[in-house]
Amino acid sequence: NQWYQRRVGITAGRATFYNNYTREQTTTGDNNASIVSSLLQMSPLLLLILMSVLNSIFTEDPAWSYHRNGQYKVERSTSWNSIRYYVKGEFTEKYTSQKILHLEFEIERDYKQDLQIKCINNQRRKEQLMYQYRVTGNTRYRDYASEMDLASCKDYNDFKLPQYINSRP
């Protein structure tokens, strides 16, 4: 038993010495390989950063906004439903009348989608309140649900999109 403990201790000591020796010997030779290995391991992250930078360089700002802000100062409205939107100062130089018509159609379509989302959210909220009333019996939920304004649903149903312009800009 004592022989086994000594043998293991000596073997462990040699193994440790051998491992330390080979580590020191190969550290200088593998320095370049470890840098390359590190770069390869970081390459997905570097690729994501590069793609993000390139995307921000080559992506243009939207042509319009529903809200006036630093870039979008010139107020306009669509030809069909008079939806107010804002553009940059050089808008009329960059866009032909045909492109403006296509852009206005997109603005009207986006506006109708926004109305639809508001309507759906209001309807869900009303259904949730009615469910809470049925579960708890608290009449405040029912009263609040019955008083909810669903004007966005009426606006959505009343809103008519123009016929799509078939010719391309």
Side-chain angles (χ1 to χ4, degrees), residues 11-40:
T11 305
R14 284 186 193 153
T16 304
F17 172 75
Y18 178 73
N19 284 340
N20 287 339
Y21 174 74
T22 55
R23 228 181 272 140
E24 289 174 10
Q25 196 175 30
T26 58
T27 300
T28 55
D30 288 342
N31 208 6
N32 292 336
S34 67
I35 292 172
V36 171
S37 174
S38 296
L39 286 175
L40 284 174

Side-chain angles (χ1 to χ4, degrees), residues 59-75:
T59 302
E60 288 187 33
D61 290 334
W64 61 277
S65 172
Y66 283 127
H67 309 286
R68 181 189 310 251
N69 63 30
Q71 291 181 334
Y72 304 96
K73 295 178 181 177
V74 180
E75 182 177 323

Side-chain angles (χ1 to χ4, degrees), residues 29-168:
D30 288 342
N31 208 6
N32 292 336
S34 67
I35 292 172
V36 171
S37 174
S38 296
L39 286 175
L40 284 174
Q41 288 174 351
M42 292 177 53
S43 63
L45 179 63
L46 294 173
L47 184 64
L48 284 174
I49 292 170
L50 178 67
M51 287 175 56
S52 174
V53 168
L54 290 176
N55 187 28
S56 66
I57 290 172
F58 294 114
T59 302
E60 288 187 33
D61 290 334
W64 61 277
S65 172
Y66 283 127
H67 309 286
R68 181 189 310 251
N69 63 30
Q71 291 181 334
Y72 304 96
K73 295 178 181 177
V74 180
E75 182 177 323
R76 296 181 60 100
S77 61
T78 61
S79 304
W80 299 285
N81 290 306
S82 300
I83 305 300
R84 186 177 19 215
Y85 66 100
Y86 298 91
V87 295
K88 296 178 183 178
E90 69 275 358
F91 179 77
T92 52
E93 291 95 35
K94 288 179 91 175
Y95 291 90
T96 64
S97 60
Q98 189 66 23
K99 284 185 178 182
I100 291 173
L101 286 176
H102 283 282
L103 184 70
E104 287 185 355
F105 179 81
E106 289 177 21
I107 291 169
E108 299 239 351
R109 188 184 61 217
D110 288 350
Y111 184 80
K112 183 160 184 158
Q113 287 175 348
D114 289 346
L115 287 175
Q116 182 182 26
I117 290 168
K118 287 177 186 176
C119 174
I120 290 169
N121 287 341
N122 286 339
Q123 287 174 334
R124 284 184 183 157
R125 179 68 181 139
K126 187 172 186 170
E127 289 171 8
Q128 288 172 345
L129 289 169
M130 289 305 292
Y131 176 77
Q132 288 176 336
Y133 163 68
R134 286 190 299 273
V135 170
T136 65
N138 188 339
T139 57
R140 288 189 308 176
Y141 291 123
R142 181 195 62 205
D143 296 342
Y144 187 70
S146 63
E147 292 172 5
M148 275 190 72
D149 182 23
L150 295 178
S152 58
C153 294
K154 182 183 178 325
D155 293 344
Y156 170 72
N157 291 327
D158 293 346
F159 191 86
K160 303 294 182 222
L161 279 175
Q163 292 293 328
Y164 182 70
I165 306 145
N166 288 325
S167 62
R168 300 314 282 162

